[in-house]
Amino acid sequence: MFTGIIAEQGKVLSVERNGDSATVRLHAPGTTDGLALGGSIAVNGVCLTATQIDGRDFSVDVMGETLDRSTIGELTAGDPVNLERCVPAGGRLDGHVVQGHVDGVGRLLEREGLGNWDRLRFGVPAGLARYIAEKGSIAVDGVSLTVTTVSPANDPAPWFEVGLIPTTLAETGLGQKAVGGHVNLEVDVLAKYTERLLSFAGGTGPAAHRAPDASAEAAAVPAGEAALSEGATK
């Protein structure tokens, strides 16, 4: 698990394609300190595993699914990347819960300098728009941000906006992101699980097929246990 607080901007040293997968080698002096083989690292918001460590450099293997559904497949030597090590148990959660499981790729539509901060508007895949709410959390290239504005629910080209303070502009790749550039998006996991749970409420999920058996079982257990079971399902 990650928090969306970027620890370092690393640099891509090489990208070696291997059929539908790739090995990416990165330079990251801060991130490699104490890093062990098999350690989890978020690279532009994508949870990857360190497969080789060489001093201040490390490598990750990226499968085809990840290349297809994130911007990792667009990386080339010299590109900067946002890096975050996984949060230790009991560590401080300064951002929000970020899994490193990218939901889709967005595109920077507008950026506007407003004195001491920048306003950025991102286009979002239509299927993700319903998970993004004003004042909610979102990870953009692994950066934990608060959504400031969203497009109307019926907008055929959905978007959302965030505001970036000077620290975020200086210490993450979003400070130099050009209009038209792509970003990895991870929406709040709570929204996804809520939708999934509600999808079973209409009687189409496995629980609906178990309903007749459940009533029969309730009649066979003591009244106290039946009451507890009933309360647990409400």
Side-chain angles (χ1 to χ4, degrees), residues 4 37 69 76 108 116 124 127 131 134 178 191-193 197 208 211 213:
L37 287 176
R69 301 187 65 167
T76 59
L108 181 57
N116 205 34
V124 59
Y131 303 115
E134 186 173 321
K192 294 185 287 185
Y193 273 113
L197 288 169
D213 295 334

Side-chain angles (χ1 to χ4, degrees), residues 10-16 23-29 32 54-59 75-81:
K11 183 175 72 172
V12 176
L13 297 176
S14 63
V15 179
E16 181 182 351
T23 297
V24 182
R25 187 164 171 263
L26 304 106
H27 178 67
T32 52
D54 181 14
R56 296 184 174 185
D57 306 333
F58 72 94
S59 298
L75 293 177
T76 59
D79 285 346
V81 289

Side-chain angles (χ1 to χ4, degrees), residues 2-53:
F2 307 92
T3 68
I5 305 300
I6 302 305
E8 179 182 23
Q9 276 196 279
K11 183 175 72 172
V12 176
L13 297 176
S14 63
V15 179
E16 181 182 351
R17 298 300 292 252
N18 307 302
D20 67 345
S21 63
T23 297
V24 182
R25 187 164 171 263
L26 304 106
H27 178 67
T31 301
T32 52
D33 185 21
L35 178 65
L37 287 176
S40 295
I41 306 168
V43 179
N44 277 355
V46 181
C47 179
L48 298 171
T49 301
T51 56
Q52 184 176 348
I53 302 170

Side-chain angles (χ1 to χ4, degrees), residues 16-190:
E16 181 182 351
R17 298 300 292 252
N18 307 302
D20 67 345
S21 63
T23 297
V24 182
R25 187 164 171 263
L26 304 106
H27 178 67
T31 301
T32 52
D33 185 21
L35 178 65
L37 287 176
S40 295
I41 306 168
V43 179
N44 277 355
V46 181
C47 179
L48 298 171
T49 301
T51 56
Q52 184 176 348
I53 302 170
D54 181 14
R56 296 184 174 185
D57 306 333
F58 72 94
S59 298
V60 292
D61 291 332
V62 189
M63 62 183 178
E65 171 78 2
T66 304
L67 294 173
D68 291 341
R69 301 187 65 167
S70 75
T71 64
I72 297 296
E74 299 179 6
L75 293 177
T76 59
D79 285 346
V81 289
N82 297 326
L83 299 175
E84 181 189 359
R85 295 278 300 276
C86 58
V87 63
R92 189 183 301 276
L93 185 62
D94 287 323
H96 74 283
V97 175
V98 177
Q99 295 182 300
H101 303 162
V102 171
D103 295 301
V105 173
R107 185 168 65 91
L108 181 57
L109 302 177
E110 301 175 9
R111 84 176 302 144
E112 178 185 14
L114 296 168
N116 205 34
W117 62 286
D118 282 9
R119 175 189 64 83
L120 276 65
R121 175 177 290 193
F122 293 96
V124 59
L128 291 184
R130 64 182 179 272
Y131 303 115
I132 304 172
E134 186 173 321
K135 304 307 178 185
S137 297
I138 191 166
V140 180
D141 269 354
V143 183
S144 174
L145 297 170
T146 299
V147 177
T148 57
T149 312
V150 294
S151 57
N154 59 353
D155 195 321
W159 50 265
F160 70 92
E161 292 184 357
V162 295
L164 303 186
I165 62 174
T167 298
T168 307
L169 293 170
E171 297 186 5
T172 77
L174 296 180
Q176 301 300 319
K177 181 68 65 175
V179 171
H182 293 143
V183 292
N184 294 318
L185 300 176
E186 180 183 335
V187 299
D188 191 339
V189 66
L190 295 179

